[in-house]
């Protein structure tokens, strides 16, 4: 069974203490990765009434939620059984290049990293169980 056919629910969870600009950036980065991992989530191009083609956009809602920063490591670990879990670590924000990022990530075990944002995707009930109490980012 594919992720799409199982009533996939993706959500982005951001550290609620981040400045709004970083929240937008981190959500965009995780959404790009979601689109790459699950390209079937992007619908077909659609022409306007006057024939101008517009590229396809996501076919599923992508709620952006907030959580206390201290909860992000637990949420990431609790989501281990989901088909997709992505994380944006503080190292990504601090790195000057992708190579620098990969070196920073590889230099320390997972518990020593600081998640800033997550993207979780899986069956609706499982995702709701993990983060159904979190509020939308405002």
């Amino acid at each position: 069974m594919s992720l799409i056919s199982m009533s996939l629910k993706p959500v982005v969870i951001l550290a609620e203490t981040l400045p709004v600009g970083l929240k937008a950036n981190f959500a965009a980065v995780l959404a790009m990765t979601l689109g790459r991992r699950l390209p079937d989530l992007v619908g077909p191009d659609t022409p306007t009434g006057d024939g101008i083609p517009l590229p396809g956009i996501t076919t599923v809602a992508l709620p952006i939620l907030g959580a206390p920063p201290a909860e992000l490591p637990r949420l990431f670990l609790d989501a281990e059984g989901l088909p997709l879990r992505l994380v944006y670590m503080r190292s990504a924000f601090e790195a000057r290049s992708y190579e620098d990022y990969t070196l920073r990530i590889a230099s320390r075990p997972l518990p020593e990293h600081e998640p800033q944002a997550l993207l979780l995707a899986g069956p609706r009930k499982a995702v709701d169980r993990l983060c159904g109490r979190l509020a939308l980012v405002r």
Side-chain angles (χ1 to χ4, degrees):
M1 174 176 6
S2 78
L3 284 177
I4 312 277
S5 65
M6 74 162 81
S7 182
L8 173 84
K9 179 176 183 176
V11 297
V12 171
I13 306 165
L14 302 168
E16 60 191 11
T17 55
L18 291 169
V20 70
L22 290 180
K23 286 178 181 176
N25 179 269
F26 296 174
V29 167
L30 290 172
M32 285 177 60
T33 305
L34 174 66
R36 181 167 186 221
R37 297 276 180 189
L38 300 174
D40 291 347
L41 289 181
V42 179
D45 292 353
T46 305
T48 63
D50 54 354
I52 298 171
L54 299 178
I57 63 170
T58 182
T59 59
V60 296
L62 183 57
I64 310 296
L65 310 174
E71 285 189 33
L72 293 177
R74 181 193 53 79
L75 284 166
F76 181 75
L77 292 174
D78 289 352
E80 184 176 12
L82 291 181
L84 185 62
R85 65 182 181 148
L86 308 173
V87 63
Y88 189 104
M89 296 293 192
R90 182 173 188 84
S91 295
F93 174 68
E94 294 170 341
R96 296 203 175 273
S97 67
Y98 197 78
E99 180 183 12
D100 183 25
Y101 162 72
T102 60
L103 291 171
R104 287 170 185 256
I105 292 296
S107 71
R108 297 186 322 222
L110 183 64
E112 292 180 19
H113 289 284
E114 297 176 56
Q116 303 295 295
L118 307 174
L119 187 145
L120 309 177
R124 183 169 301 283
K125 286 183 181 181
V127 172
D128 285 346
R129 207 172 18 255
L130 285 170
C131 56
R133 64 177 173 60
L134 300 176
L136 290 171
V137 166
R138 297 195 180 269

